[in-house]
Amino acid sequence: MIRLDDVQIFVQTVEAESFSEAARQLNIAPGLASSAVQRLEKELGVRLFTRSTRSMQLSEDGERYLPHARAMLDAQHQGQQALAREGSALKGLLRLSVSSDLGRNLLLGWLDAFQHEHPGLSLHIRMSDRSVDLVRQPLDAAIRYGTLADSSLVAMPLLEHNRRALCASPAYLAKHGKPSTVDDLRQHNCLRYVWSEQVHERWRFTLPGGDRTVSVTGNRISDDADVVRRWAVAGEGIVYKSRLDVLEDIKAGRLVELFPHAHCEPSPLNLVCAHRSRLTPAMTRLKGFLRERCEALLATCPPVA
């Protein structure tokens, strides 16, 4: 009989790319992780991994079995959530993917408060500026900016009217001057970040004469958007990010908005799930909680004229 904990260890090993790392994440001995996968292989009658003295990778059978293993764990999780619905208190595991800047500087504190309100919940947070596969990866939802490219996903709006903000520090503007048009950005040091292996360097604006895209350059790029915001605060250049990310810096005077807010690219914030079966009571309450926090924060700083 296949044991679900063996299946979980198999999936964790695939994601961690080693028995030792999977064991560390699960807080078990490495030998137990290896034994669990061997036991699963014996039950299935196949080799799930191709092993050598230097490496380990999924076998063809392992590749075929992986989505089914994840589906088994997903079914177990949904069953636990279904049972949790019967009680008034929220229970179970909530697995979220969040972006770096929003995650560290806003969501981390908000999610702490949400969990304190619902102590029966356990949080598993993945913080990264990479896109995630909500179907294949063990996640309940992702909190992301922008419109969805995949129409099969379920998007629950948290802040529909959010836009980007073009900003620089007072020190940078004192030294290099303020751009008067979007075309002037080509003469400035523009701080860029990488999203899912692509550099965000084509900045889009909605001007009275129509939409305009400006290709920008600069001497700093990072795959962590929080780093880019910090560079801007330090006076290293101009940044173009979600207004929600830079709002506290604007309010404190660390950053100055350069163009009318209405001219900047829309950047709606959504709570995204793979399918409607993920819309558990915990997810519904989280959506309402985060939406209220986002709108309250945005209301504290009116848009520039």
Side-chain angles (χ1 to χ4, degrees):
M1 181 179 294
I2 291 175
R3 295 167 47 172
L4 274 177
D5 54 347
D6 291 348
V7 176
Q8 181 184 13
I9 290 171
F10 162 65
V11 172
Q12 195 77 25
T13 301
V14 172
E15 294 175 355
E17 299 181 343
S18 76
F19 286 124
S20 59
E21 178 60 20
R24 187 191 67 79
Q25 293 174 4
L26 294 169
N27 196 28
I28 61 175
L32 291 178
S34 178
S35 297
V37 172
Q38 290 175 11
R39 186 165 52 240
L40 181 60
E41 289 177 325
K42 184 177 179 180
E43 289 291 337
L44 295 171
V46 298
R47 295 294 298 271
L48 297 172
F49 291 101
T50 301
R51 303 171 178 85
S52 70
T53 55
R54 294 185 179 180
S55 66
M56 180 185 73
Q57 61 184 16
L58 272 177
S59 66
E60 291 185 4
D61 287 327
E63 288 279 3
R64 284 192 291 268
Y65 183 66
L66 180 59
H68 300 287
R70 284 181 166 143
M72 291 169 64
L73 296 177
D74 190 48
Q76 180 195 34
H77 176 67
Q78 290 183 39
Q80 292 170 338
Q81 291 287 348
L83 292 174
R85 292 189 188 107
E86 297 302 320
S88 58
L90 299 181
K91 301 176 183 178
L93 176 64
L94 196 55
R95 304 166 298 182
L96 301 173
S97 170
V98 301
S99 56
S100 64
D101 200 352
L102 182 70
R104 290 192 190 105
N105 299 301
L106 281 181
L107 291 179
L108 195 59
W110 292 353
L111 291 173
D112 283 345
F114 184 73
Q115 189 179 36
H116 292 160
E117 287 185 11
H118 307 285
L121 281 177
S122 295
L123 289 178
H124 183 172
I125 307 299
R126 293 190 177 186
M127 200 170 296
S128 171
D129 286 332
R130 295 177 179 270
S131 62
V132 294
D133 187 337
L134 289 170
V135 176
R136 289 181 55 85
Q137 295 183 11
L139 290 166
D140 296 307
I143 300 173
R144 289 289 187 264
Y145 288 116
T147 55
L148 291 183
D150 186 348
S151 59
S152 67
L153 300 176
V154 179
M156 296 173 283
L158 299 178
L159 197 62
E160 297 145 289
H161 305 299
N162 186 56
R163 288 180 173 269
R164 294 187 182 276
L166 189 73
C167 299
S169 72
Y172 177 87
L173 297 176
K175 185 175 182 179
H176 300 281
K178 182 178 179 180
S180 57
T181 69
V182 295
D183 290 321
D184 290 344
L185 292 173
R186 295 190 178 96
Q187 280 72 55
H188 283 267
N189 195 45
C190 294
L191 306 171
R192 297 162 292 162
Y193 60 88
V194 178
W195 170 256
S196 292
E197 310 303 329
Q198 185 172 357
V199 179
H200 183 244
E201 57 189 357
R202 290 175 56 81
W203 293 0
R204 298 179 178 86
F205 300 89
T206 302
L207 305 178
D211 292 348
R212 186 66 174 273
T213 299
V214 180
S215 295
V216 300
T217 59
N219 62 9
R220 297 190 182 209
I221 299 175
S222 176
D223 63 351
D224 188 321
D226 185 34
V227 169
V228 176
R229 181 189 60 80
R230 290 170 185 262
W231 282 339
V233 170
E236 299 295 343
I238 296 177
V239 70
Y240 193 40
K241 285 179 55 50
S242 161
R243 196 164 190 264
L244 199 60
D245 289 349
V246 296
L247 196 55
E248 292 295 342
D249 294 317
I250 294 170
K251 290 166 59 179
R254 294 185 293 266
L255 291 176
V256 177
E257 286 190 85
L258 300 181
F259 290 146
H261 185 53
H263 292 176
C264 295
E265 183 179 16
S267 186
L269 183 65
N270 296 297
L271 181 65
V272 185
C273 299
H275 41 74
R276 296 200 172 274
S277 64
R278 296 290 191 189
L279 300 183
T280 62
M283 197 66 64
T284 302
R285 293 227 203 143
L286 178 64
K287 171 202 167 186
F289 179 89
L290 293 179
R291 184 181 179 101
E292 183 178 302
R293 293 293 181 104
C294 287
E295 290 176 345
L297 178 60
L298 206 61
T300 63
C301 188
V304 293

